[in-house]
Each structure stands twice: as C-alpha cells, then as structure tokens.
Coordinates of all heavy atoms in Angstrom, one line a residue:
M1047 N 133.8 162.4 39.2 CA 134.0 161.8 40.5 C 132.7 161.0 40.9 O 132.9 159.9 41.4 CB 134.3 162.9 41.5 CG 134.7 162.5 42.8 SD 135.5 163.8 43.8 CE 134.5 163.7 45.2
D1048 N 131.6 161.6 40.6 CA 130.3 160.9 41.0 C 130.2 159.6 40.1 O 129.8 158.5 40.6 CB 129.1 161.8 40.7 CG 128.9 162.9 41.8 OD1 129.6 162.8 42.9 OD2 128.3 163.8 41.4
A1049 N 130.6 159.7 38.8 CA 130.5 158.5 38.0 C 131.4 157.4 38.5 O 131.1 156.2 38.5 CB 130.9 158.9 36.6
L1050 N 132.6 157.8 38.9 CA 133.5 156.8 39.5 C 133.0 156.2 40.7 O 133.1 154.9 40.9 CB 134.9 157.5 39.8 CG 135.9 157.5 38.6 CD1 137.1 158.5 39.0 CD2 136.4 156.3 38.1
Q1051 N 132.5 157.0 41.6 CA 131.9 156.5 42.9 C 130.7 155.5 42.5 O 130.6 154.5 43.2 CB 131.5 157.7 43.7 CG 131.0 157.2 45.2 CD 130.7 158.4 46.0 OE1 130.6 159.5 45.6 NE2 130.5 158.2 47.3
Q1052 N 129.9 156.0 41.7 CA 128.8 155.1 41.3 C 129.2 153.7 40.7 O 128.7 152.7 41.0 CB 127.7 155.8 40.3 CG 126.6 155.0 39.9 CD 125.7 154.7 41.1 OE1 125.6 155.5 42.0 NE2 125.0 153.6 41.0
S1053 N 130.3 153.8 39.9 CA 130.7 152.6 39.2 C 131.3 151.7 40.3 O 131.1 150.4 40.2 CB 131.8 153.0 38.1 OG 132.4 151.9 37.6
L1054 N 132.0 152.2 41.2 CA 132.6 151.5 42.3 C 131.5 150.8 43.1 O 131.6 149.6 43.4 CB 133.6 152.3 43.1 CG 134.2 151.6 44.3 CD1 135.1 150.5 43.9 CD2 135.0 152.6 45.1
A1055 N 130.6 151.5 43.5 CA 129.4 151.0 44.3 C 128.7 149.9 43.5 O 128.3 148.8 44.1 CB 128.4 152.1 44.5
E1056 N 128.5 150.1 42.2 CA 127.9 149.0 41.4 C 128.8 147.7 41.3 O 128.2 146.6 41.4 CB 127.6 149.5 40.0 CG 126.4 150.5 40.0 CD 126.3 151.1 38.6 OE1 127.0 150.9 37.6 OE2 125.4 152.0 38.5
T1057 N 130.0 147.9 41.2 CA 130.9 146.8 41.1 C 130.8 146.0 42.4 O 130.8 144.8 42.4 CB 132.4 147.2 40.9 OG1 132.4 147.9 39.5 CG2 133.3 146.1 40.9
L1058 N 130.9 146.7 43.6 CA 130.9 146.0 44.9 C 129.6 145.3 45.2 O 129.5 144.4 45.8 CB 131.3 147.0 46.0 CG 132.8 147.4 46.0 CD1 132.9 148.6 47.0 CD2 133.7 146.3 46.1
S1059 N 128.5 145.9 44.6 CA 127.2 145.3 44.9 C 126.7 144.3 44.0 O 125.7 143.6 44.2 CB 126.1 146.4 45.0 OG 125.9 147.1 43.7
S1060 N 127.3 144.2 42.8 CA 126.9 143.2 41.8 C 127.4 141.8 42.1 O 128.4 141.6 42.8 CB 127.5 143.6 40.4 OG 128.8 143.4 40.4
G1061 N 126.6 140.9 41.7 CA 127.1 139.4 41.9 C 126.8 139.0 43.3 O 126.2 139.7 44.2
S1062 N 127.3 137.8 43.6 CA 127.1 137.2 45.0 C 128.5 137.2 45.6 O 129.3 136.3 45.6 CB 126.6 135.8 44.9 OG 127.5 135.0 44.0
L1063 N 128.7 138.3 46.3 CA 130.0 138.5 47.0 C 130.1 137.6 48.3 O 131.2 137.2 48.7 CB 130.3 139.9 47.4 CG 130.5 140.9 46.2 CD1 130.7 142.3 46.7 CD2 131.7 140.5 45.4
G1064 N 128.9 137.4 48.9 CA 128.9 136.7 50.2 C 129.1 135.2 50.0 O 129.6 134.5 50.9
S1065 N 128.6 134.6 49.0 CA 128.7 133.2 48.8 C 129.9 132.8 48.0 O 129.9 132.9 46.8 CB 127.4 132.6 48.2 OG 127.3 133.2 46.9
S1066 N 130.9 132.2 48.7 CA 132.1 131.7 47.9 C 132.2 130.2 48.2 O 133.3 129.8 48.6 CB 133.3 132.5 48.5 OG 133.5 132.4 49.9
D1067 N 131.2 129.4 48.0 CA 131.2 128.0 48.1 C 132.1 127.3 47.1 O 132.8 126.4 47.5 CB 129.8 127.5 48.1 CG 128.9 128.1 49.2 OD1 129.5 128.7 50.1 OD2 127.7 127.9 49.1
S1068 N 131.9 127.7 45.9 CA 132.6 126.9 44.8 C 133.7 127.7 44.2 O 133.8 129.0 44.5 CB 131.6 126.6 43.7 OG 131.2 127.7 43.1
S1069 N 134.6 127.1 43.5 CA 135.7 127.9 42.9 C 135.3 129.0 41.9 O 135.9 129.9 41.8 CB 136.7 126.9 42.3 OG 136.1 126.2 41.2
G1070 N 134.1 128.7 41.2 CA 133.6 129.7 40.3 C 133.1 130.9 41.0 O 133.4 132.0 40.6
N1071 N 132.5 130.8 42.2 CA 132.2 132.0 43.0 C 133.4 132.7 43.5 O 133.4 133.9 43.6 CB 131.3 131.6 44.1 CG 129.9 131.3 43.6 OD1 129.4 131.8 42.6 ND2 129.1 130.5 44.4
V1072 N 134.5 131.9 44.0 CA 135.7 132.6 44.4 C 136.3 133.4 43.3 O 136.7 134.5 43.5 CB 136.6 131.5 45.0 CG1 138.0 132.1 45.3 CG2 136.0 130.9 46.2
A1073 N 136.4 132.8 42.1 CA 137.0 133.5 41.0 C 136.2 134.8 40.6 O 136.7 135.8 40.3 CB 137.0 132.6 39.7
N1074 N 134.8 134.6 40.7 CA 134.0 135.8 40.4 C 134.2 136.9 41.5 O 134.4 138.0 41.1 CB 132.5 135.4 40.5 CG 131.6 136.5 40.1 OD1 131.9 137.4 39.3 ND2 130.4 136.5 40.8
Y1075 N 134.3 136.5 42.7 CA 134.6 137.4 43.9 C 135.9 138.1 43.6 O 136.1 139.3 43.8 CB 134.6 136.7 45.1 CG 135.0 137.5 46.3 CD1 134.0 138.3 46.9 CD2 136.3 137.4 46.9 CE1 134.5 139.1 48.0 CE2 136.6 138.2 48.0 CZ 135.7 139.0 48.6 OH 136.1 139.8 49.6
M1076 N 137.0 137.3 43.3 CA 138.3 138.0 43.1 C 138.3 138.9 41.9 O 138.9 139.9 41.9 CB 139.3 136.8 42.9 CG 139.5 135.9 44.1 SD 140.0 136.8 45.5 CE 141.7 137.2 45.2
G1077 N 137.6 138.6 40.9 CA 137.4 139.4 39.7 C 136.8 140.7 40.0 O 137.2 141.8 39.7
Q1078 N 135.7 140.6 40.8 CA 135.0 141.8 41.3 C 135.9 142.7 42.1 O 135.9 143.9 42.0 CB 133.7 141.5 42.0 CG 132.6 140.9 41.1 CD 131.4 140.5 41.8 OE1 131.5 140.0 42.9 NE2 130.2 140.8 41.3
M1079 N 136.7 142.1 43.0 CA 137.5 142.8 43.9 C 138.7 143.5 43.1 O 139.0 144.6 43.4 CB 138.1 142.0 45.0 CG 137.0 141.6 46.1 SD 136.4 143.0 46.9 CE 134.8 143.0 46.3
A1080 N 139.2 142.8 42.1 CA 140.2 143.4 41.2 C 139.6 144.6 40.5 O 140.3 145.6 40.4 CB 140.7 142.3 40.2
M1081 N 138.4 144.4 39.9 CA 137.8 145.6 39.3 C 137.6 146.8 40.3 O 137.8 147.9 39.9 CB 136.5 145.2 38.7 CG 136.6 144.5 37.4 SD 135.1 144.1 36.4 CE 133.8 144.5 37.5
A1082 N 137.1 146.5 41.5 CA 136.9 147.5 42.4 C 138.2 148.2 42.8 O 138.3 149.4 43.0 CB 136.3 146.9 43.7
M1083 N 139.3 147.4 43.0 CA 140.6 148.0 43.4 C 141.1 148.9 42.2 O 141.7 150.0 42.5 CB 141.6 146.9 43.6 CG 141.3 146.2 44.9 SD 141.2 147.1 46.4 CE 142.9 147.6 46.5
G1084 N 140.9 148.5 40.9 CA 141.2 149.3 39.8 C 140.5 150.6 39.8 O 141.0 151.7 39.6
K1085 N 139.2 150.5 40.1 CA 138.4 151.8 40.2 C 138.8 152.6 41.3 O 138.8 153.8 41.3 CB 136.9 151.4 40.2 CG 136.4 150.8 38.9 CD 135.0 150.3 39.0 CE 134.6 149.7 37.6 NZ 133.2 149.4 37.5
L1086 N 139.2 152.0 42.5 CA 139.6 152.8 43.6 C 140.9 153.5 43.2 O 141.2 154.7 43.6 CB 139.9 151.9 44.8 CG 138.7 151.7 45.7 CD1 139.0 150.6 46.7 CD2 138.1 152.9 46.2
G1087 N 141.8 152.8 42.5 CA 143.0 153.5 42.0 C 142.7 154.6 41.1 O 143.4 155.7 41.2
T1088 N 141.8 154.5 40.2 CA 141.4 155.6 39.4 C 140.8 156.8 40.2 O 141.1 158.0 40.0 CB 140.3 155.1 38.3 OG1 140.8 154.1 37.6 CG2 139.9 156.3 37.4
F1089 N 140.0 156.5 41.2 CA 139.4 157.4 42.0 C 140.4 158.2 42.8 O 140.4 159.4 43.0 CB 138.4 156.7 43.0 CG 137.6 157.7 43.8 CD1 136.6 158.4 43.2 CD2 137.6 157.7 45.1 CE1 135.8 159.3 43.9 CE2 136.8 158.6 45.9 CZ 135.9 159.3 45.2
E1090 N 141.5 157.4 43.3 CA 142.6 158.0 44.1 C 143.4 159.0 43.2 O 143.8 160.0 43.6 CB 143.5 157.0 44.6 CG 144.7 157.5 45.4 CD 145.6 156.4 45.9 OE1 145.5 155.3 45.4 OE2 146.5 156.8 46.7
G1091 N 143.6 158.6 42.0 CA 144.4 159.4 41.0 C 143.6 160.7 40.7 O 144.2 161.8 40.7
F1092 N 142.3 160.6 40.6 CA 141.5 161.8 40.4 C 141.6 162.8 41.5 O 141.8 164.0 41.4 CB 140.1 161.4 40.1 CG 139.1 162.5 39.9 CD1 139.0 163.1 38.7 CD2 138.3 163.1 40.9 CE1 138.2 164.2 38.4 CE2 137.5 164.1 40.7 CZ 137.4 164.7 39.5
I1093 N 141.5 162.2 42.8 CA 141.6 163.0 44.0 C 142.9 163.7 44.1 O 143.1 164.9 44.4 CB 141.2 162.2 45.2 CG1 139.8 161.7 45.1 CG2 141.5 163.0 46.5 CD1 138.7 162.7 45.2
R1094 N 144.0 162.9 43.8 CA 145.3 163.5 43.8 C 145.5 164.6 42.8 O 146.1 165.6 43.1 CB 146.4 162.4 43.6 CG 146.6 161.5 44.7 CD 147.7 160.5 44.4 NE 147.7 159.4 45.3 CZ 148.4 159.5 46.5 NH1 149.1 160.6 46.8 NH2 148.5 158.4 47.3
Q1095 N 145.0 164.5 41.6 CA 145.1 165.6 40.6 C 144.3 166.8 41.2 O 144.8 167.9 41.0 CB 144.4 165.1 39.3 CG 145.3 164.1 38.5 CD 144.6 163.7 37.2 OE1 143.6 164.0 37.0 NE2 145.4 162.8 36.5
A1096 N 143.1 166.6 41.7 CA 142.4 167.7 42.2 C 143.1 168.4 43.3 O 143.2 169.7 43.4 CB 140.9 167.3 42.6
D1097 N 143.8 167.7 44.2 CA 144.5 168.2 45.3 C 145.7 169.1 44.8 O 146.0 170.1 45.3 CB 144.9 167.2 46.3 CG 145.5 167.8 47.5 OD1 144.8 168.7 48.1 OD2 146.6 167.3 48.0
N1098 N 146.4 168.4 43.8 CA 147.6 169.1 43.2 C 147.2 170.4 42.5 O 147.8 171.5 42.7 CB 148.2 168.2 42.1 CG 149.5 168.7 41.6 OD1 150.2 169.4 42.3 ND2 149.8 168.4 40.4
L1099 N 146.0 170.4 41.8 CA 145.5 171.7 41.2 C 145.2 172.7 42.3 O 145.5 173.9 42.2 CB 144.3 171.4 40.4 CG 143.6 172.6 39.7 CD1 144.6 173.2 38.7 CD2 142.4 172.1 38.9
R1100 N 144.6 172.3 43.4 CA 144.3 173.2 44.5 C 145.5 173.8 45.1 O 145.6 175.0 45.3 CB 143.5 172.5 45.6 CG 143.1 173.3 46.8 CD 142.7 172.4 48.0 NE 143.7 171.5 48.4 CZ 144.7 171.7 49.2 NH1 144.9 173.0 49.6 NH2 145.5 170.8 49.5
Q1101 N 146.6 173.0 45.3 CA 147.8 173.4 45.9 C 148.5 174.4 44.9 O 149.0 175.5 45.3 CB 148.8 172.3 46.2 CG 148.3 171.5 47.3 CD 149.3 170.3 47.6 OE1 150.1 169.9 46.8 NE2 149.1 169.6 48.7
Q1102 N 148.5 174.1 43.6 CA 149.1 175.0 42.6 C 148.4 176.4 42.6 O 149.0 177.4 42.4 CB 149.1 174.4 41.2 CG 150.1 173.3 41.1 CD 150.0 172.7 39.7 OE1 149.2 173.0 38.8 NE2 150.7 171.5 39.5
T1103 N 147.1 176.3 42.7 CA 146.3 177.6 42.7 C 146.6 178.5 43.9 O 146.8 179.6 43.8 CB 144.8 177.2 42.6 OG1 144.5 176.4 41.5 CG2 144.0 178.5 42.5
L1104 N 146.7 177.7 45.0 CA 147.0 178.5 46.2 C 148.4 179.1 46.2 O 148.7 180.2 46.6 CB 146.9 177.7 47.5 CG 145.5 177.4 48.0 CD1 145.5 176.4 49.1 CD2 144.8 178.7 48.4
Q1105 N 149.4 178.4 45.6 CA 150.8 178.9 45.5 C 150.8 180.0 44.5 O 151.7 180.9 44.6 CB 151.7 177.7 45.1 CG 151.9 176.7 46.1 CD 152.6 175.5 45.6 OE1 152.8 175.3 44.4 NE2 152.9 174.6 46.6
Q1106 N 149.9 180.0 43.4 CA 150.0 181.1 42.4 C 149.0 182.2 42.7 O 148.8 183.0 41.9 CB 149.7 180.5 41.1 CG 150.7 179.5 40.6 CD 152.1 180.1 40.5 OE1 152.3 181.2 40.0 NE2 153.2 179.3 40.8
M1107 N 148.3 182.1 43.8 CA 147.3 183.1 44.2 C 147.8 184.6 44.1 O 147.1 185.4 43.7 CB 146.7 182.9 45.6 CG 145.4 183.5 45.8 SD 144.4 182.9 47.2 CE 145.6 183.0 48.5
H1108 N 149.0 184.8 44.5 CA 149.6 186.2 44.5 C 149.7 186.7 43.0 O 149.7 187.9 42.8 CB 150.9 186.2 45.2 CG 152.0 185.5 44.5 ND1 152.2 184.2 44.5 CD2 153.0 186.0 43.7 CE1 153.2 183.8 43.8 NE2 153.8 184.9 43.3
R1109 N 149.8 185.8 42.0 CA 149.9 186.3 40.7 C 148.4 186.5 40.0 O 148.3 187.3 39.2 CB 150.6 185.3 39.8 CG 152.1 185.1 40.1 CD 152.8 184.2 39.1 NE 154.1 184.1 39.5 CZ 155.0 183.2 39.0 NH1 154.5 182.4 38.1 NH2 156.2 183.2 39.3
I1110 N 147.5 185.7 40.6 CA 146.2 185.7 40.0 C 145.3 186.8 40.6 O 144.5 187.5 39.9 CB 145.5 184.4 40.3 CG1 146.3 183.2 39.6 CG2 144.0 184.4 39.8 CD1 145.8 181.8 40.0
L1111 N 145.4 187.0 41.9 CA 144.6 187.9 42.6 C 145.3 189.1 43.2 O 146.5 189.1 43.4 CB 143.9 187.2 43.9 CG 143.0 185.9 43.5 CD1 142.6 185.4 44.8 CD2 141.9 186.4 42.6
T1112 N 144.5 190.2 43.5 CA 145.2 191.4 44.1 C 145.3 191.0 45.6 O 144.8 190.0 46.1 CB 144.3 192.6 44.0 OG1 143.1 192.3 44.7 CG2 144.0 193.0 42.6
T1113 N 146.0 191.8 46.4 CA 146.3 191.6 47.8 C 144.9 191.5 48.5 O 144.6 190.6 49.3 CB 147.1 192.6 48.4 OG1 148.3 192.7 47.7 CG2 147.4 192.3 49.8
K1114 N 144.0 192.4 48.2 CA 142.6 192.4 48.9 C 141.9 191.1 48.5 O 141.2 190.6 49.4 CB 142.0 193.7 48.4 CG 140.7 193.9 49.2 CD 140.0 195.3 48.8 CE 138.8 195.6 49.5 NZ 138.2 196.8 49.2
Q1115 N 141.9 190.8 47.2 CA 141.2 189.6 46.8 C 141.8 188.4 47.5 O 141.1 187.4 47.9 CB 141.2 189.4 45.3 CG 140.4 190.4 44.5 CD 140.7 190.4 43.1 OE1 141.8 190.0 42.6 NE2 139.6 190.6 42.3
S1116 N 143.1 188.3 47.7 CA 143.8 187.2 48.2 C 143.4 187.0 49.7 O 143.1 186.0 50.3 CB 145.3 187.3 48.2 OG 145.8 187.2 46.9
A1117 N 143.3 188.2 50.4 CA 142.9 188.2 51.8 C 141.4 187.7 51.9 O 141.1 186.9 52.8 CB 143.0 189.6 52.4
R1118 N 140.6 188.2 51.1 CA 139.2 187.7 51.1 C 139.0 186.2 50.8 O 138.3 185.5 51.5 CB 138.3 188.5 50.1 CG 138.0 189.9 50.5 CD 137.1 190.6 49.6 NE 136.8 191.9 50.0 CZ 136.1 192.7 49.3 NH1 135.7 192.4 47.9 NH2 135.8 194.0 49.7
A1119 N 139.9 185.8 49.9 CA 139.9 184.4 49.5 C 140.3 183.5 50.7 O 139.8 182.4 51.0 CB 140.7 184.1 48.3
L1120 N 141.4 183.9 51.4 CA 141.9 183.1 52.5 C 140.8 183.2 53.6 O 140.6 182.2 54.3 CB 143.2 183.8 53.0 CG 144.4 183.5 52.1 CD1 145.6 184.2 52.5 CD2 144.6 182.0 51.9
L1121 N 140.2 184.3 53.9 CA 139.1 184.3 54.9 C 137.9 183.4 54.5 O 137.4 182.7 55.4 CB 138.6 185.7 55.0 CG 139.5 186.7 55.7 CD1 138.9 188.1 55.7 CD2 139.7 186.3 57.2
A1122 N 137.6 183.4 53.2 CA 136.5 182.5 52.7 C 136.9 181.0 52.9 O 136.1 180.2 53.3 CB 136.2 182.8 51.3
I1123 N 138.2 180.7 52.6 CA 138.7 179.3 52.8 C 138.7 179.0 54.3 O 138.2 177.8 54.6 CB 140.1 179.2 52.2 CG1 140.1 179.3 50.7 CG2 140.8 177.9 52.7 CD1 141.4 179.5 50.0
H1124 N 139.1 179.9 55.1 CA 139.1 179.6 56.6 C 137.6 179.4 57.0 O 137.3 178.4 57.8 CB 139.6 180.7 57.3 CG 139.6 180.5 58.8 ND1 138.5 181.0 59.6 CD2 140.5 180.0 59.7 CE1 138.7 180.7 60.8 NE2 139.9 180.0 60.9
D1125 N 136.7 180.1 56.6 CA 135.2 180.0 57.0 C 134.8 178.7 56.5 O 134.1 177.8 57.2 CB 134.4 181.1 56.3 CG 133.0 181.0 56.8 OD1 132.7 181.0 57.9 OD2 132.2 181.1 55.9
Y1126 N 135.1 178.3 55.2 CA 134.7 177.0 54.7 C 135.2 175.8 55.5 O 134.4 175.0 55.8 CB 135.2 176.9 53.2 CG 135.1 175.4 52.6 CD1 133.8 175.0 52.1 CD2 136.2 174.6 52.5 CE1 133.7 173.8 51.7 CE2 136.0 173.4 52.0 CZ 134.8 172.9 51.5 OH 134.7 171.7 51.0
F1127 N 136.5 175.8 55.8 CA 137.0 174.7 56.6 C 136.5 174.7 58.0 O 136.3 173.6 58.6 CB 138.5 174.8 56.6 CG 139.1 174.2 55.3 CD1 139.8 175.0 54.4 CD2 138.9 172.8 55.0 CE1 140.3 174.4 53.3 CE2 139.5 172.3 53.9 CZ 140.2 173.1 53.0
S1128 N 136.2 175.8 58.6 CA 135.6 175.9 59.9 C 134.1 175.2 59.9 O 133.8 174.5 60.7 CB 135.4 177.3 60.5 OG 136.7 177.9 60.6
R1129 N 133.4 175.6 58.9 CA 132.1 175.0 58.7 C 132.2 173.5 58.5 O 131.4 172.7 59.0 CB 131.3 175.7 57.6 CG 130.9 177.1 58.0 CD 130.3 177.8 56.8 NE 130.1 179.2 57.1 CZ 128.9 179.8 57.2 NH1 127.8 179.1 56.9 NH2 128.8 181.1 57.5
L1130 N 133.1 173.2 57.6 CA 133.3 171.7 57.4 C 133.7 170.9 58.6 O 133.1 169.8 58.8 CB 134.4 171.5 56.3 CG 134.6 170.1 55.7 CD1 133.3 169.7 55.0 CD2 135.7 170.1 54.7
R1131 N 134.6 171.5 59.5 CA 134.9 170.8 60.7 C 133.7 170.7 61.7 O 133.4 169.7 62.3 CB 136.0 171.6 61.5 CG 137.4 171.2 61.0 CD 138.5 171.8 61.8 NE 138.5 173.2 61.9 CZ 139.1 174.1 61.0 NH1 139.8 173.6 60.1 NH2 139.0 175.3 61.1
A1132 N 132.8 171.8 61.6 CA 131.7 171.7 62.5 C 130.7 170.7 62.0 O 130.2 170.0 62.8 CB 131.0 173.2 62.5
L1133 N 130.5 170.6 60.7 CA 129.6 169.6 60.1 C 130.2 168.2 60.4 O 129.4 167.4 60.8 CB 129.6 169.8 58.6 CG 128.6 168.9 57.9 CD1 127.2 169.0 58.3 CD2 128.7 169.2 56.3
S1134 N 131.5 168.1 60.3 CA 132.0 166.8 60.6 C 131.8 166.4 62.1 O 131.5 165.2 62.4 CB 133.5 166.7 60.3 OG 134.1 165.5 60.6
S1135 N 132.0 167.3 62.9 CA 131.7 167.0 64.4 C 130.3 166.7 64.6 O 130.0 165.7 65.3 CB 132.0 168.3 65.2 OG 133.4 168.6 65.1
L1136 N 129.3 167.4 63.9 CA 128.0 167.0 64.1 C 127.6 165.6 63.5 O 126.9 164.9 64.1 CB 127.1 168.1 63.4 CG 126.9 169.4 64.0 CD1 126.2 170.4 63.1 CD2 126.2 169.3 65.3
W1137 N 128.3 165.3 62.4 CA 128.1 164.0 61.8 C 128.6 162.9 62.7 O 127.9 161.9 63.0 CB 128.8 163.9 60.5 CG 128.6 162.6 59.8 CD1 129.7 161.6 59.7 CD2 127.6 162.1 59.1 NE1 129.2 160.5 59.1 CE2 127.8 160.8 58.7 CE3 126.3 162.5 58.9 CZ2 127.0 159.9 58.0 CZ3 125.4 161.8 58.1 CH2 125.8 160.5 57.7
L1138 N 129.7 163.1 63.3 CA 130.3 162.0 64.3 C 129.5 162.0 65.6 O 129.4 160.9 66.1 CB 131.8 162.4 64.6 CG 132.7 162.3 63.4 CD1 134.2 162.8 63.9 CD2 132.8 160.9 62.9
A1139 N 128.9 163.0 65.9 CA 128.1 163.0 67.2 C 126.6 162.6 67.0 O 125.9 162.5 67.9 CB 128.1 164.5 67.8
R1140 N 126.2 162.3 65.8 CA 124.8 162.0 65.4 C 124.5 160.7 66.2 O 125.3 159.8 66.4 CB 124.6 161.8 64.0 CG 125.1 160.6 63.3 CD 125.1 160.5 61.8 NE 125.5 159.3 61.3 CZ 126.6 158.7 61.3 NH1 127.6 159.4 61.8 NH2 126.9 157.6 60.8
P1141 N 123.2 160.5 66.5 CA 122.8 159.2 67.2 C 122.9 158.1 66.2 O 122.4 158.3 65.0 CB 121.3 159.5 67.5 CG 121.0 160.9 67.1 CD 122.1 161.5 66.4
K1142 N 123.4 157.0 66.6 CA 123.6 155.9 65.7 C 122.3 155.1 65.8 O 121.8 154.8 66.9 CB 124.8 155.0 66.2 CG 126.1 155.8 66.3 CD 126.7 155.9 65.0 CE 128.2 156.4 65.0 NZ 128.4 157.8 65.0
E1143 N 121.9 154.6 64.7 CA 120.6 153.8 64.7 C 120.9 152.3 64.6 O 121.7 151.8 64.0 CB 119.7 154.2 63.5 CG 119.2 155.6 63.7 CD 118.3 156.0 62.6 OE1 117.5 155.1 62.1 OE2 118.2 157.2 62.3

C-alpha cells in the first residue's frame, strides 16, 4: 500500500503538470494523468480486497474464536474506532496554517 501511494505521488509530481502551453506538454500531462488514474485504480482494488478480507474475518469470527475471545475482540474493535473518531475530530479541529 505504501509503495502504491509513493508511486502515485511520484507520478503526480513528476514532469511539468502546470505548464500546458504546447501540444507536447498537454500529451505529457494526459499521459501522467492516465498513469495516475491507473495507479489509483490499483490502489482502490487493494483497499477493496483488504475490506473484503476484514468483512470475511468478522463473519467467520464465531468459528475462529471462542465466545470470550470474540467479545474481547469486539470491545477492542470498538475502542479502536472510538479512538480513530477522536483522532479524526482532533485532526479536523487543528489550526490551519
């Protein structure tokens, strides 16, 4: 995932995206955008696969874990998402520079 993100960032930052004076620059820009869109598609596919695996694991949790382990796991997941929401709120409330 990090490699995909880095590759996408490099694609977007390489070349002269801002100057589209000539047809060569426009073609270069379009090529870079096509590559970036392809990488975004790959990134989206990776995220979808990870989410699908997460959903399958949660659905099969009763087969994998005991009842007590499942309860602890659900409490840990709840705690994780609560902290993530709090962090997100703090991020959104940060002073803008």
Side-chain angles (χ1 to χ4, degrees):
M1047 191 162 123
D1048 287 340
L1050 277 171
Q1051 186 176 11
Q1052 181 65 31
S1053 177
L1054 178 61
E1056 289 171 1
T1057 298
L1058 291 174
S1059 65
S1060 68
S1062 55
L1063 294 178
S1065 62
S1066 57
D1067 298 346
S1068 68
S1069 61
N1071 285 339
V1072 171
N1074 184 35
Y1075 174 80
M1076 296 303 287
Q1078 287 176 323
M1079 287 302 106
M1081 283 189 344
M1083 293 301 291
K1085 290 177 181 182
L1086 275 174
T1088 302
F1089 191 67
E1090 180 185 13
F1092 180 81
I1093 297 298
R1094 286 185 191 273
Q1095 287 177 356
D1097 190 49
N1098 188 31
L1099 179 61
R1100 179 193 58 82
Q1101 288 178 349
Q1102 288 177 3
T1103 302
L1104 284 174
Q1105 290 170 354
Q1106 297 298 320
M1107 196 163 54
H1108 68 281
R1109 292 184 182 171
I1110 299 169
L1111 303 175
T1112 66
T1113 303
K1114 187 175 183 179
Q1115 289 172 328
S1116 294
R1118 285 185 179 171
L1120 290 172
L1121 287 172
I1123 291 168
H1124 177 270
D1125 184 53
Y1126 169 77
F1127 280 113
S1128 295
R1129 290 172 188 245
L1130 189 59
R1131 278 191 297 275
L1133 181 62
S1134 178
S1135 296
L1136 287 172
W1137 178 257
L1138 291 174
R1140 78 189 186 287
K1142 306 281 194 269
E1143 292 184 33

